Amino acid sequence: MENMVKIGKPGEGKNTEEKVTDSAEGSCPETGRQEPVSSERDSVILRELRKLRQEHAEAADDNKRALPGEGKNTEEKVTDSAEGSCPETGRQETVSSERDSVILRELRKLRQEHAEAADDNKRALARLENNMKELMERTTSLEQKAEYMEERIGNTENRTTRLERSAAFLLQRTAKLSVKCDDFESRLRRNNIRIHDIPEGAEKNDTIGFVTGLIKSKIKITDDMVIRIERAHRSLVAKPKDSAAPPRAIIIRFLDYKVKEYVIRQAWKQKTTYERQTIYFNQDYTTEVQRKRKQVRDVIKKLKEKDVKAQSPYPAQLKVFLDSGTKTFSTLMEAAPIKVMHYLFN
């Protein structure tokens, strides 16, 4: 009776194994009879509980969590079994046996559920490991590609730098060659003269004879000067379709540079007309020189409106006659900071 009171008392610090053992060794106080069958079943229950505890511990370590409430329920079931082994009112052995059987079935079912959960966890971990492996392989592949791309980008940047240096060098070289070519072309045109505003078709089919007679009749030259013209033709632009459009210039090439210079200087000193139309003699400049001289002529025109005398020496210089003296500038940019711009904009 004393053992039975200890088992049924709530809050006892003993574990489940001690409770079941005491219940198995106790006897019924009314009959004084041993219960070996119940003791054997309790031993089986103890073994099952130990296995269950071990599986719980392993599952807790694997999953880092414990199943809530199972240990408490198991202890309550075992406690009920121990209490049922010795009823005060004379319960029969079959009741205890049925309870033990229920406990065993429940424990086995619980073990089976735990085993299935463990298998599921293992399969999930296996899938996770496979996914991690695939991710690692993809990460490694991406790292290799990134290294390859970085290498290619570095090579491309180095090549771009070399190409930029080469392009800068070639641009400088091209600029120098362009200046040389322009100077060479200008030297080839040193013996040429352009005559403007002669009507289209006036030369007919003999341009050299027409120009020779024009110079001799309109320009004051000495009688002993021999005019030898190598070539003469209209400028190579398209013939204007509109009769009101300005005619093309006639380009003349002299064999003697001195004769050419004498003719153009005499033409500049006098006013020359053809069929009551004023004609103009000019140097045969290259396209680039003509563009620069046009800019200078626009400046000279504005200076003359301000009563400032100016000229444009070859190739496209600006010569200004100021009160303080004569100033010559190679380009318009050189003349910008000084008094010339003051005359233009004031």
Side-chain angles (χ1 to χ4, degrees):
M1 189 68 171
E2 188 173 326
N3 291 335
M4 187 177 66
V5 172
K6 291 181 179 179
I7 293 173
K9 187 177 180 180
E12 188 69 31
K14 296 181 181 180
N15 55 26
T16 307
E17 182 179 353
E18 291 176 349
K19 292 179 182 180
V20 178
T21 305
D22 291 341
S23 174
E25 292 178 355
S27 60
C28 181
E30 294 182 357
T31 59
R33 186 162 57 91
Q34 300 288 334
E35 296 182 358
V37 177
S38 177
S39 177
E40 291 177 359
R41 291 182 182 277
D42 291 341
S43 298
V44 174
I45 292 172
L46 284 173
R47 287 195 297 272
E48 295 294 332
L49 286 173
R50 292 191 186 100
K51 292 179 181 179
L52 181 61
R53 287 177 180 175
Q54 184 176 1
E55 291 173 357
H56 270 292
E58 293 175 353
D61 292 337
D62 293 338
N63 302 328
K64 295 183 179 180
R65 63 185 179 84
L67 293 174
E70 287 295 332
K72 183 177 180 181
N73 294 335
T74 306
E75 183 176 350
E76 290 175 355
K77 291 179 182 180
V78 176
T79 304
D80 293 339
S81 175
E83 290 178 353
S85 64
C86 185
E88 295 180 357
T89 60
R91 291 180 183 177
Q92 296 181 1
E93 182 182 348
T94 55
V95 176
S96 178
S97 177
E98 290 176 359
R99 289 188 177 184
D100 294 342
S101 299
V102 172
I103 292 173
L104 285 174
R105 284 195 300 273
E106 292 295 331
L107 289 173
R108 286 168 183 163
K109 185 178 179 181
L110 184 60
R111 286 185 61 190
Q112 184 178 0
E113 291 176 354
H114 278 289
E116 292 176 355
D119 293 338
D120 292 340
N121 291 334
K122 288 180 181 179
R123 287 192 292 271
L125 288 174
R127 290 194 298 270
L128 182 60
E129 289 178 355
N130 291 333
N131 293 335
M132 291 295 295
K133 185 177 180 181
E134 292 178 0
L135 288 175
M136 290 296 296
E137 291 177 354
R138 291 184 63 183
T139 303
T140 303
S141 177
L142 290 174
E143 289 177 352
Q144 293 176 353
K145 290 181 179 180
E147 292 177 357
Y148 175 70
M149 293 301 295
E150 288 178 357
E151 183 179 358
R152 290 194 61 182
I153 290 172
N155 295 334
T156 304
E157 290 178 350
N158 294 335
R159 184 180 178 185
T160 303
T161 303
R162 292 193 297 268
L163 290 175
E164 287 177 352
R165 293 175 180 174
S166 301
F169 172 77
L170 291 176
L171 287 173
Q172 295 177 357
R173 185 82 172 176
T174 303
K176 292 180 180 179
L177 291 175
S178 178
V179 172
K180 288 184 178 181
C181 289
D182 191 69
D183 179 68
F184 182 68
E185 184 179 357
S186 297
R187 291 178 183 276
L188 289 177
R189 298 187 181 199
R190 292 181 66 183
N191 289 7
N192 295 358
I193 289 179
R194 283 178 177 257
I195 305 177
H196 300 275
D197 293 339
I198 293 181
E200 291 281 348
E203 71 279 11
K204 297 181 181 179
N205 294 328
D206 187 9
T207 306
I208 295 177
F210 172 77
V211 170
T212 303
L214 179 67
I215 292 174
K216 289 182 178 180
S217 61
K218 300 294 182 179
I219 305 299
K220 296 179 181 180
I221 58 176
T222 58
D223 297 335
D224 58 345
M225 179 174 288
V226 180
I227 299 176
R228 291 180 296 179
I229 298 176
E230 179 183 357
R231 190 168 56 250
H233 58 81
R234 292 276 181 176
S235 61
L236 301 180
V237 296
K239 184 178 180 179
K241 297 180 180 180
D242 188 3
S243 59
R248 295 173 295 171
I250 295 179
I251 303 174
I252 307 166
R253 180 174 180 81
F254 291 83
L255 288 175
D256 192 343
Y257 173 76
K258 293 181 179 181
V259 174
K260 170 256 179 183
E261 283 293 314
Y262 180 82
V263 170
I264 196 169
R265 292 185 183 279
Q266 289 297 117
W268 286 347
K269 292 179 181 180
Q270 66 184 48
K271 183 178 180 180
T272 307
T273 60
Y274 177 79
E275 295 182 355
R276 300 180 181 180
Q277 177 70 32
T278 303
I279 60 176
Y280 301 93
F281 288 74
N282 201 359
Q283 300 280 5
D284 184 23
Y285 298 117
T286 62
T287 304
E288 181 65 19
V289 173
Q290 289 181 22
R291 183 184 65 80
K292 293 179 180 180
R293 289 183 67 84
K294 182 179 182 302
Q295 296 176 353
V296 177
R297 283 199 304 270
D298 294 338
V299 174
I300 293 174
K301 183 178 180 181
K302 292 181 179 181
L303 289 173
K304 288 184 177 180
E305 292 176 357
K306 301 291 183 178
D307 295 330
V308 178
K309 185 178 179 181
Q311 295 178 353
S312 177
Y314 181 82
Q317 301 181 30
L318 177 62
K319 187 175 183 181
V320 184
F321 299 90
L322 301 173
D323 297 337
S324 59
T326 303
K327 299 287 186 181
T328 303
F329 307 97
S330 300
T331 61
L332 293 177
M333 294 302 298
E334 292 184 11
I338 64 165
K339 197 173 180 180
V340 174
M341 298 297 106
H342 173 75
Y343 281 107
L344 291 176
F345 300 105
N346 293 288

